[in-house]
Amino acid sequence: MSDRWGAVGENAGDCAEDNAGRARGTAGYARAADVLAVQYEEVTFGEVHRAVVSLVPAEPARILDIGAGTGRDAAALAALGHSVVAVEPTAELRGHGQRIHAGSAIEWVDDALPTLVLHQCPGRFDAVFATAVWMHLDAEERGRAMARIAALLMPDGRFFVNLRHGPVPDGRHMFDVSAAETVELGAAHGLQPLLSSERSDLHGRDEVRWSSLVLQAKDSRTTLG
């Protein structure tokens, strides 16, 4: 979920929660969930994704939000008329999201990269968001995750990825991942770069910066796994 320190309501949707277990990248998030829920909701979807919002599908689309946190982005996308699946492996954050955005048409799922099985939510997506998630994966996991995302995208589908750069907070499982490496990895899986930008931290942390990338699937040769 965006600008992280590191990465059931009645309207929670029809997707059953996949038992993904506790992903390593979620280390530290459960105990800080109450504080993080406030932090995440202090900024808006438009502020976090200002550089790429023009590339979000204009017409109603099926969108996957990986590492959805409190569902701030998922709720904003649902309000635009999109069908949104929100993946969040930390139960405490997921609970906050289901409470805060109880009125939003979001399908909540307990799952995580790199496997991201989505057994109860089959099919492809027009767009996939991974905001403040990618740097929680090691090199091997990033390779598997990119392959999975490429398989989940519709032809011409877009992958929106947001990377954190800066000191690793205590207790976080995080890696230094560059925009260039991510673009190269995407290309190896048939995703071409549409946009790359960088911005300062929205919470005023001078030592932290963020990269925003949009990668697009070239064609339909990738087989859904």
Side-chain angles (χ1 to χ4, degrees), residues 5-149:
W5 294 342
V8 182
E10 293 179 354
N11 298 309
D14 299 325
C15 285
E17 294 180 350
D18 293 307
N19 185 13
R22 182 72 69 179
R24 289 186 300 167
T26 66
Y29 284 96
R31 67 173 178 268
D34 292 349
V35 174
L36 290 173
V38 174
Q39 182 186 19
Y40 294 166
E41 297 291 330
E42 284 178 342
V43 293
T44 68
F45 172 83
E47 290 170 331
V48 173
H49 299 286
R50 186 182 306 277
V52 303
V53 71
S54 64
L55 296 175
V56 175
E59 299 298 322
R62 190 172 190 235
I63 297 180
L64 178 66
D65 185 12
I66 303 171
T70 57
R72 181 207 57 221
D73 293 352
L77 290 164
L80 293 173
H82 300 300
S83 173
V84 184
V85 175
V87 172
E88 176 51 56
T90 301
E92 292 81 358
L93 288 175
R94 202 168 58 248
H96 278 299
Q98 291 167 332
R99 173 183 56 81
I100 295 169
H101 300 292
S104 295
I106 301 170
E107 299 180 9
W108 286 94
V109 180
D110 177 7
D111 208 335
L113 289 171
T115 306
L116 197 62
V117 292
L118 295 178
H119 283 319
Q120 303 302 319
C121 300
R124 298 193 181 203
F125 296 86
D126 300 291
V128 174
F129 280 76
T131 304
V133 169
W134 204 249
M135 65 279 178
H136 290 301
L137 304 173
D138 64 27
E140 186 272 337
E141 290 169 332
R142 292 195 298 274
R144 291 166 55 203
M146 190 67 80
R148 181 60 177 146
I149 287 167

